[in-house]
Amino acid sequence: MNKKYFLKGIGLACVAFALFSCNQDKNEKFDKPESTGLNVYWGDLHNHCNLTYGHGDMRSAFEAAKGQLDFVSVTPHAMWPDIPGRNDPRLQWVIDYHVGAFERLRKGGWDEYVKMTNEYNKEGEFLTFLGYECHSMQHGDHVVMNYDLDAPLLEGSSVEDLKKQLKGKKAFITPHHMGYQEGFRGYNWDFFTEGDQTPFVEMYSRHGLAESDQGDYNYLHDMGPRRWEGSIQYGLDQGHKFGIIGSTDQHAGYPGSFGDGRVAVLAPSLTREAIWEALKNRHVYCSTGDKILIDFRLNNAIMGDVVKGKERKIYVNVDAQSSIDYVDIVKNGKTLKRISGPLTPIVPEGDVVRCKIRVEFGWNREESPVKWLGNLSITDGKINDAIPCFRGAAYTSPQEKDLKGGHDEFKTNVNKILSKTDKKVDLEMYSTKNPNTTTAAMQGVVLDLTMPKNAKIVAEFNGEKFEHTLEELLNGSKAHFMVGWLSESILFNRAMPESAFLVEEYVVDNTPEKDTDYYYVRVRQRDQQWAWSTPIWVEKQ
């Protein structure tokens, strides 16, 4: 089970932030906010396996989710009321595989899904939710997620019809891949209704990033390019209030697949009611993959809240998993403040250092998965935490090569942390070759360490052993082929000291611009992992 984090301000003294412009001459310093008493829990509310169309069996999907998430909704495709192409031979194959999947779900698939979702739900340990997806040309694609573990699969003539049927019930109806063309499964903000049914939207997934029509993670799927009118910033500029989440929309039975999108929830406990209430109240944020911790306050409000006031005391505390590129505080679509990280992390003074090291496994040029069995250990000091960064296959739609005779032959290899102590982490992982030079397929683990500089980090896998002192890794990354050139490899990434991954910032803004201003935080690591807070809205007093 994943470690939970208490949002109390991850604070360091201001002197530790010289690299991040923590300067009392520029920022009015105020008292650090008190603890919220909330933890951060991680989940994936939108992903697919071969239950409908996709790859990998459902049980493996739940097992993969348990390995690095706190809650999940494995998502069958359920309906497409306005499916196009009935008179277009070019699109017949699209109709066939969708309609066939919907029929399988109704002929026993849903009952199997409900049974297994209930089997894996463990209050206080790992939560599961029933959900299903409705495609729509007119309204954009949505996921229905239910509170009740015996909720039925509804039959809807449209997304708006589903909203009517679910009115007054405990269910969320969430749009995703927002930025596609309106009328072609992109989102139309005219249909957004603020309230309990759609308290949040899915901004990031394997499809790409819909923060705006610019920036990292462009839309590259054959469904078309990214556009402004479906983006999050467009919706915020229209005055809508909503939480921001990520989920994978992964089609290979691997919920939480690293880099494909995750949702973070701020809640007091890992109970069904607490997680649901946090989702309903927009106490959520979005991550591409790394479990970046964001503590964002404005006066006494947390992300998702609406407050009043002219004076806005903004507090931001970030605990990243690698070197921070920058942290932006955004106000009404403009950068209010940018805090830049170091181009090259500076080796800290002293003998004992807290740092984070990402160790990655993969590469090579073979199609077949490589099994990694072994451990990471240290010769002195303490492993504070080991955070998995496990990926599934890079699928966003069905793969013909895995479908033979109508049967899915793809097998999900579930990566696992087998055991963990303060000196050693035992791992079983499976990597494949990177499918191209821009798509990663490596597996990884981030070690949060406190240890002497002369102590060693050791990797023992598949009969090979490699080791480096912390001093070496603070000065640069080290890589090793397992059996020579073009074989699989292990990468010890550069060790990141606290000055590279921790930021604390105080900003006071006393200039209202609109009747309601919105503020949010965006965090970019130098390895292109991101996190975005949900906004806080401030009304004029």
Side-chain angles (χ1 to χ4, degrees):
M1 182 52 58
N2 299 316
K3 180 178 179 181
K4 293 86 177 173
Y5 298 88
F6 204 64
L7 289 185
K8 57 186 177 183
I10 311 156
L12 293 178
C14 209
V15 66
F17 295 93
L19 290 170
F20 298 98
S21 303
C22 186
N23 187 329
Q24 293 189 49
D25 294 332
K26 295 181 180 179
N27 299 321
E28 180 180 333
K29 190 74 175 288
F30 47 86
D31 291 338
K32 182 184 295 186
E34 295 182 0
S35 168
T36 63
L38 301 175
N39 304 310
V40 180
Y41 299 101
W42 296 92
D44 183 355
L45 301 179
H46 175 203
N47 56 88
H48 303 287
C49 62
N50 67 7
L51 176 61
T52 47
Y53 64 85
H55 303 280
D57 68 273
M58 183 166 53
R59 185 167 295 281
S60 294
F62 278 111
E63 289 294 325
K66 282 177 59 180
Q68 55 187 354
L69 300 175
D70 299 301
F71 59 92
V72 73
S73 178
V74 175
T75 318
H77 302 89
M79 63 195 76
W80 191 347
D82 60 354
I83 192 168
R86 298 188 187 280
N87 299 315
D88 185 349
R90 183 178 58 91
L91 298 177
Q92 187 60 48
W93 68 278
V94 176
I95 295 174
D96 290 346
Y97 83 73
H98 282 89
V99 171
F102 303 154
E103 290 177 354
R104 290 194 300 276
L105 183 63
R106 286 157 177 79
K107 292 179 179 178
W110 180 259
D111 293 339
E112 179 188 359
Y113 170 59
V114 171
K115 181 179 178 181
M116 196 170 294
T117 300
N118 278 266
E119 176 189 341
Y120 274 89
N121 185 66
K122 305 293 181 186
E123 189 81 357
E125 297 180 15
F126 180 71
L127 300 179
T128 62
F129 294 90
L130 288 174
Y132 51 89
E133 179 168 349
C134 175
H135 301 321
S136 172
M137 301 294 282
Q138 180 184 14
H139 303 111
D141 288 13
H142 288 65
V143 169
V144 173
M145 192 178 89
N146 298 278
Y147 179 89
D148 295 330
L149 282 168
D150 59 354
L153 170 61
L154 297 182
E155 302 294 342
S157 60
S158 69
V159 172
E160 293 301 296
D161 178 43
L162 287 174
K163 289 181 180 179
K164 290 177 183 177
Q165 293 188 59
L166 290 167
K167 190 173 183 179
K169 302 184 184 299
K170 295 181 82 168
F172 299 134
I173 307 169
T174 306
H176 57 269
H177 54 52
M178 316 283 292
Y180 285 119
Q181 178 72 32
E182 181 183 318
F184 295 89
R185 294 173 63 183
Y187 191 55
N188 185 339
W189 283 103
D190 291 343
F191 293 105
F192 179 79
T193 304
E194 186 179 323
D196 292 351
Q197 279 195 327
T198 308
F200 50 87
V201 301
E202 184 183 303
M203 181 178 77
Y204 177 82
S205 72
R206 278 203 61 80
H207 282 266
L209 173 63
E211 182 183 17
S212 75
D213 56 355
Q214 303 178 75
D216 291 347
Y217 300 109
N218 198 2
Y219 278 26
L220 301 177
H221 194 278
D222 57 16
M223 287 170 60
R226 178 173 60 181
R227 60 193 286 276
W228 167 244
E229 287 81 4
S231 70
I232 299 303
Q233 288 188 348
Y234 181 90
L236 290 170
D237 289 346
Q238 305 309 301
H240 300 309
K241 298 181 181 69
F242 51 85
I244 295 172
I245 72 163
S247 283
T248 61
D249 202 355
Q250 203 253 7
H251 282 62
Y254 216 102
S257 177
F258 182 76
D260 293 341
R262 294 173 178 175
V263 51
V265 171
L266 312 183
S269 61
L270 187 59
T271 63
R272 191 169 209 80
E273 188 64 25
I275 295 296
W276 192 268
E277 284 300 304
L279 289 164
K280 185 178 76 172
N281 291 318
R282 304 185 294 245
H283 295 162
V284 297
Y285 66 94
C286 172
S287 167
T288 56
D290 266 344
K291 295 179 178 180
I292 300 169
L293 302 180
I294 300 177
D295 186 357
F296 169 43
R297 322 279 189 93
L298 193 153
N299 297 345
N300 294 316
I302 65 172
M303 59 183 79
D305 288 348
V306 181
V307 295
K308 295 180 182 291
K310 178 179 178 181
E311 183 182 59
R312 292 95 187 262
K313 294 181 177 180
I314 300 166
Y315 174 76
V316 178
N317 203 316
V318 174
D319 184 347
Q321 297 299 333
S322 186
S323 183
I324 291 172
D325 191 4
Y326 52 80
V327 177
D328 286 338
I329 301 172
V330 177
K331 176 185 179 183
N332 297 334
K334 300 181 292 291
T335 303
L336 178 68
K337 173 82 174 180
R338 171 164 287 188
I339 309 107
S340 294
L343 181 63
T344 303
I346 295 175
V347 177
E349 297 180 358
D351 178 49
V352 177
V353 174
R354 184 194 170 203
C355 63
K356 294 185 181 181
I357 300 174
R358 190 188 308 270
V359 186
E360 294 178 285
F361 306 81
W363 292 274
N364 89 1
R365 52 169 37 189
E366 304 302 323
E367 294 285 350
S368 300
V370 172
K371 182 176 180 179
W372 299 85
L373 189 62
N375 64 76
L376 296 169
S377 64
I378 58 175
T379 57
D380 193 9
K382 180 181 180 183
I383 300 175
N384 304 312
D385 200 5
I387 302 145
C389 307
F390 296 151
R391 289 182 168 95
Y395 295 166
T396 318
S397 56
Q399 305 294 299
E400 188 176 355
K401 68 183 180 66
D402 291 322
L403 295 172
K404 297 180 180 178
H407 298 286
D408 177 27
E409 298 190 357
F410 177 84
K411 180 181 182 297
T412 301
N413 293 302
V414 178
N415 304 288
K416 301 173 184 176
I417 292 181
L418 300 173
S419 64
K420 175 167 64 172
T421 69
D422 64 1
K423 288 290 191 296
K424 187 172 75 167
V425 181
D426 293 302
L427 296 159
E428 178 183 318
M429 300 172 295
Y430 300 83
S431 70
T432 58
K433 73 172 188 177
N434 298 324
N436 52 60
T437 55
T438 60
T439 303
M442 302 90 70
Q443 306 302 340
V445 176
V446 174
L447 299 178
D448 185 333
L449 306 168
T450 302
M451 59 188 294
K453 289 178 181 176
N454 63 0
K456 294 180 179 179
I457 298 94
V458 183
E460 294 186 77
F461 286 87
N462 300 353
E464 299 292 333
K465 180 178 180 179
F466 307 102
E467 57 186 28
H468 295 281
T469 65
L470 178 57
E471 181 85 53
E472 288 180 275
L473 295 177
L474 284 165
N475 284 285
S477 59
K478 303 292 182 183
H480 302 276
F481 290 113
M482 293 293 287
V483 290
W485 188 51
L486 300 183
S487 72
E488 60 271 19
S489 303
I490 294 178
L491 172 63
F492 294 80
N493 281 273
R494 181 189 291 267
M496 299 298 171
E498 288 184 319
S499 61
F501 64 79
L502 292 177
V503 165
E504 185 177 54
E505 189 76 4
Y506 299 80
V507 175
V508 175
D509 179 34
N510 294 325
T511 310
E513 294 178 355
K514 303 178 179 180
D515 289 339
T516 303
D517 297 315
Y518 68 84
Y519 300 77
Y520 71 92
V521 172
R522 58 205 302 268
V523 180
R524 189 184 195 275
Q525 295 180 173
R526 286 185 56 78
D527 60 8
Q528 211 177 351
Q529 292 296 313
W530 280 86
W532 298 263
S533 79
T534 285
I536 298 172
W537 290 267
V538 188
E539 299 173 346
K540 281 186 179 179
Q541 201 157 24

